[in-house]
Amino acid sequence: MTETSTGKRTGYLSWDDYFMAVALLSAQRSKDPNTQVGACIVNAQKHIVGVGYNGFPTGCSDDTLPWCREGAFLDTKYPYVCHAELNAVLNSGPGNLTGCSIYTALFPCNECAKVIIQVGIREVVFLSDKYAGTDSVRASRRMFDQAGVVCRQLIPASSTISIRLTENG
Ligand SMILES: O=c1ccn([C@H]2C[C@H](O)[C@@H](COP(=O)(O)O)O2)c(=O)[nH]1
Ligand SMILES: [Zn+2]
């Protein structure tokens, strides 16, 4: 790691990469075998006020409800899974989310878009847009546009971050 003339460390994470990394770390908790989504809500003071990932509701077993994508609706994950953005909102403290930004691994679906707008979040920073072109995402974009919520895709400064969980040596 290099230093500047003042000795300040360089190569540190930018705010954007940091908050997206928190969202992605949260996504690592997801049991969804196909798509792991994490979200991180940040206020104007750059404080993290809520994080979440996609998973079944509290008390609903990850081992008995289905994780399938196809088949009869009730035999798929879709009616049961709470989306990451919704969980991040629900996991936030008692404070107001007006003016906050949400960092999310995946562009929000239309249901999450409604929640994001209704709680007053003003910016969506996303990484993947893999469902662009679906009706759900088209509806999200339409609502965000009308509600004045700014969406931007994050181009991270570095493609990987490595974190050691054990001491060096
Ligand atoms: O806004 C969103 C959209 C989707 N998710 C979650 C819900 C599911 O667990 C997966 C999507 O599964 P696919 O197999 O890719 O259809 O992503 C979310 O958290 N937020
Ligand atoms: Zn959603």
Side-chain angles (χ1 to χ4, degrees), residues 32 34-35 37 54 69 77-78 81 83-85 108-109 112 131:
D32 191 320
N34 193 56
T35 303
V37 187
N54 53 328
R69 308 183 72 225
K77 62 187 170 183
Y78 296 109
V81 73
H83 290 191
E85 300 91 325
C109 75
C112 290
Y131 291 124

Side-chain angles (χ1 to χ4, degrees), residues 104-133:
T104 179
L106 179 65
F107 191 88
C109 75
N110 62 306
E111 293 300 330
C112 290
K114 294 177 207 172
V115 171
I116 288 167
I117 292 166
Q118 292 300 75
V119 297
I121 290 173
R122 302 304 294 161
E123 183 187 40
V124 173
V125 186
F126 61 97
L127 212 48
S128 167
D129 198 10
K130 71 172 179 173
Y131 291 124

